[in-house]
Amino acid sequence: MDHEAKSRLLQIAATHHLDAVGTMRCPFSPILSKQLSTNGPVPFAPENIKERLDPEALLPGTRSIIVILFPYKYKEEKQANIALYARSKDYHRVLRKYLDAIISEMKISYPDTKFHPIVDTSPLADRFLAYQAGLGFFGKNHCLIHPKYGSYFTIGSILTDLSLPSDSPLTLSCGDCTRCMDVCPGRCLKENKFNPWTCKSYLTQKKEPLTEAEEKIIQKTPLIFGCDECQKYCPFNERASLSPIPEISEARIPYLSKEQLTSLSNRKFLKDYKEYAFAWRGKSILLRNIELLEKKKKEIP
Ligand code: B12
């Protein structure tokens, strides 16, 4: 097992302000296939369970996975209608840049080693990689929770044929706290089950026509992209550290108004906001959500 490579990795990550780094050795724990088959299909993720358990398909010879948390907590912003994770530049791009830099630096010491970066869009279950790499525990809000950063982080990973020593899963838990379950707009949180189809985060991104019940879920809280309710009241997030990553404090867009959006053509919208994750479903979905919230306001006497 390559302990030296692990120390080098941690050193490199630290130079990039990254201190939540773990490693896991393949194969995955059998808990993962059990979780995936009992949970059923989720929006925006592949249905094929085999694909979700197969790092070999992405990098033949994968022996270990390096997992890195990218914290995104930021000081409070007075006017906001975009979920916290999407207010700075699209995390897919930002994380990819960090992962590529780390790979280039590792390659200097390990030139014959293979590395393959993934962020969100691979079939693998990112939270589980981070769990198995000792970076957090599964909260009742079904997010992964890290002792220092709470659940306010995104996850980037690197598959490699290096044989890195494995970190152990954390044994922390939410205890008796059920704050997230009580405030969830779509009532989708149950102790061991998550219903993604009534999650406000999903509904704000859903392109198909919404039912009346779905519209009501969106109208419950002010966000027009994503949802933070199950994270906002979590004690781990209340005391979480702010993000050490410079990109998180740059070029933030916490709020989009109806006027801003209607003044832009679809093309101009995509051009102006192409670097933000909230743009991926297009302008009309964001406008639909703003209009739903306005309609609700008018209904209140
Ligand atoms: C599809 C998807 C969604 C869907 C469905 C979410 C869901 N909970 O499944 C929607 C659109 C609703 C969504 C919303 C959000 N998402 Co999302 N999403 C994904 C995606 C692409 C796949 C998730 C998936 O496979 N779900 C299926 C279930 C089976 O998998 P899972 O969530 O990993 O669940 C695990 C738990 O059920 C676990 N488990 C549960 N209990 C226990 C207990 C034990 C002991 C163990 C071992 C395991 C365990 O086993 C499962 C297998 O890993 C991932 C990226 C990826 N490729 O993994 C991001 C991802 C999960 N999302 C992320 C984020 C940031 C969010 C939001 C916070 C965004 C927002 N503010 O609106 C919300 C959070 C909603 C919530 N409470 O989960 C982050 C999670 C960060 C974190 N700290 O956990 C990820 C990892 C993206 C990334 N790379 O950073 N998302």
Side-chain angles (χ1 to χ4, degrees):
M1 225 167 333
D2 204 331
H3 288 274
E4 211 180 279
K6 172 97 177 243
S7 312
R8 182 75 197 110
L9 165 73
L10 298 180
Q11 269 172 7
I12 293 172
T15 65
H16 293 280
H17 316 283
L18 301 167
D19 62 356
V21 182
T23 49
M24 56 150 286
R25 259 181 312 135
C26 292
F28 294 119
S29 146
I31 304 175
L32 177 57
S33 57
K34 207 175 131 228
Q35 284 287 336
L36 289 170
S37 39
T38 50
N39 286 358
V42 288
F44 312 131
E47 278 191 35
N48 182 336
I49 294 176
K50 249 187 167 168
E51 205 188 325
R52 306 212 67 184
L53 296 166
D54 188 13
E56 281 284 318
L58 302 172
L59 182 81
T62 300
R63 284 152 113 186
S64 312
I65 305 183
I66 297 163
V67 190
I68 307 178
L69 307 188
F70 293 81
Y72 62 76
K73 186 169 171 180
Y74 189 72
K75 55 181 190 272
E76 206 173 310
E77 287 159 308
K78 282 206 181 81
Q79 196 181 30
N81 63 3
I82 302 291
L84 195 57
Y85 81 104
R87 293 179 196 172
S88 47
K89 293 269 179 84
D90 188 344
Y91 73 94
H92 299 88
R93 291 168 180 245
V94 174
L95 270 59
R96 194 46 208 270
K97 198 188 74 191
Y98 277 92
L99 298 179
D100 287 346
I102 291 168
I103 291 173
S104 304
E105 291 167 56
M106 284 296 282
K107 278 259 182 202
I108 298 171
S109 312
Y110 304 94
D112 300 325
T113 299
K114 293 194 274 182
F115 296 99
H116 178 84
I118 55 167
V119 180
D120 186 53
T121 55
S122 95
L124 302 185
D126 295 347
R127 281 175 177 156
F128 199 87
L129 308 187
Y131 165 77
Q132 210 173 317
L135 292 172
F137 67 96
F138 283 99
K140 288 182 189 162
N141 59 6
H142 289 251
C143 291
L144 199 79
I145 301 178
H146 180 271
K148 177 173 172 187
Y149 295 114
S151 62
Y152 285 145
F153 57 80
T154 48
I155 304 170
S157 307
I158 303 171
L159 279 52
T160 175
D161 58 355
L162 277 172
S163 180
L164 299 169
S166 219
D167 289 297
S168 307
L170 300 184
T171 50
L172 285 164
S173 83
C174 296
D176 294 333
C177 181
T178 56
R179 285 195 207 175
C180 57
M181 298 163 115
D182 303 336
V183 298
C184 172
R187 296 256 161 257
C188 45
L189 302 170
K190 302 265 165 343
E191 199 81 42
N192 292 310
K193 188 114 188 86
F194 176 81
N195 177 5
W197 307 99
T198 60
C199 175
K200 172 165 169 173
S201 178
Y202 161 61
L203 297 174
T204 60
Q205 301 173 63
K206 184 179 172 187
K207 278 197 168 170
E208 297 77 20
L210 299 173
T211 64
E212 211 175 299
E214 290 176 332
E215 290 186 351
K216 285 207 171 107
I217 293 173
I218 292 185
Q219 287 171 328
K220 280 193 184 166
T221 55
L223 295 195
I224 60 158
F225 182 82
C227 180
D228 285 331
E229 293 300 296
C230 68
Q231 303 196 90
K232 210 159 81 185
Y233 301 96
C234 171
F236 284 92
N237 284 335
E238 282 175 355
R239 54 174 185 263
S241 295
L242 296 182
S243 176
I245 301 168
E247 286 84 346
I248 294 296
S249 48
E250 293 161 8
R252 291 179 70 81
I253 304 184
Y255 183 81
L256 285 171
S257 69
K258 187 175 179 180
E259 293 65 39
Q260 253 171 307
L261 290 175
T262 43
S263 68
L264 297 171
S265 66
N266 286 336
R267 244 173 102 183
K268 183 84 167 72
F269 169 82
L270 287 175
K271 187 168 170 277
D272 286 4
Y273 297 121
K274 67 172 186 295
E275 290 183 84
Y276 292 84
F278 60 71
W280 87 290
R281 305 301 276 169
K283 184 182 88 160
S284 58
I285 297 298
L286 296 171
L287 264 177
R288 174 199 69 190
N289 298 339
I290 291 185
E291 276 156 14
L292 279 174
L293 288 165
E294 278 184 352
K295 196 168 133 201
K296 166 85 180 168
K297 244 193 224 158
K298 281 194 199 127
E299 281 166 15
I300 299 170

